[in-house]
Amino acid sequence: MTQRILVTGGAGFIGSHYVRTLLGPEGPGDVHVTVLDKLTYAGNPANLDEVRGHPGFDFVRGDITDGELVAALMPGQDQVVHFAAESHVDRSIDGGGEFVRTNVLGTHTLVDAAYRAGVTTFVHVSTDEVYGSIDEGSWPETHPLDPHSPYSASKASSDLLALSYHGTHGLDVRVTRCSNNYGHHHFPEKVVPLFITRLLDGGKVPLYGDGSNIRDWLHIDDHVQGIELVRTKGRAGEIYNIGGGTELSNRDLTRLLLEECGADWDASVVHVPDRKGHDRRYSVDCTKIREELGYVPRKDFATGLAETVRWYRQHRDWWEPLRAKAAL
Ligand code: NAD
């Protein structure tokens, strides 16, 4: 029987890749996807061009905080996969209001409507940033939350709200916490596409502080693989970390991006003051999703990065208008 899935934030970077995959040749077949997306600066209808006209696809432009709209869309949906969020840490440092509204209030609006409409499964897509910062070792899912930025605090709040509908009402809520994603269709304000697009134009790239902050990098194909495993085989009320297995300092990441774009460090890198409250290192322990659901990241970082740079070289028509839109 056809599974009806409501995907929020499906016009963004990861959500659109998820929708294209679900409805593409590698997808499960027999799914109907309704995307609910407000089309903020980060939402781009062009990200969904590939699936427009697919019989299993609908698009609704709207806000996840709009209770009436969300209540009207929910009946008849079997599952919700919730990506919609304000997602850029730097913007949350400039002002957190929109982050609280969308990430906290929006998640509550969705999960409450899902419960009332009898939706079977609610997958809430979150982030490793909710755990804080870790100098050594990796966080298991049981690690206490210690978010530091308004972005990560709003995501931590949304995780707790979503899970409270499992604890209180028995709704099948599953939470994923992933590391830093990279890949094609990534809005050019985030470090990887920002650096690539600047370097392809012969411009300069800003490196925060001493560049020693460390992140784990996860290709979007692997993230989508992890979310699908959680949606189809995960357990109610559980949290699953999803990582890529490649830890890099920002300096090392910058070096690899310069190499891939054929640019020189001294001519291209500008050192800028560190981000306020910049977490030193993130590292997720992925034992649970690997042992329980068979998740193994497949994309090796060098290949994924080379493919990503190639995509940006070939798709100026996609990113040039966005740079202007985000005033980059
Ligand atoms: P994105 O910013 O590219 O896309 C967000 C999408 O949500 C956009 O299409 C936007 O229009 C939509 N949206 C925003 N506010 C909305 C609202 N009020 N109502 C309806 N739609 C709204 O984000 P992304 O990078 O694709 O991230 C998707 C999810 O994954 C987010 O929940 C984010 O917190 C999480 N995440 C992302 C990363 C990463 O590296 N990009 C890492 C960890 C977790």
Side-chain angles (χ1 to χ4, degrees), residues 8-16 36-44 62-65 82-88 98 101-103 106 124-129 151 155 177-182 185-187 189-190 217 223:
T8 72
F13 166 48
I14 306 168
S16 68
L36 170 61
D37 198 295
K38 186 181 176 183
L39 297 182
T40 65
Y41 78 96
N44 184 351
D63 194 319
I64 57 166
T65 65
H82 173 35
F83 294 92
E86 285 296 332
S87 67
H88 193 39
E98 215 35 48
R101 205 184 72 83
T102 288
N103 302 358
H124 173 64
V125 178
S126 189
T127 170
D128 58 1
E129 300 192 27
Y151 163 69
K155 292 296 291 189
R177 293 185 180 144
C178 67
S179 55
N180 276 38
N181 286 224
Y182 73 101
H185 291 91
H186 202 180
F187 193 82
E189 67 183 349
K190 306 279 167 61
W217 290 94
H223 189 192

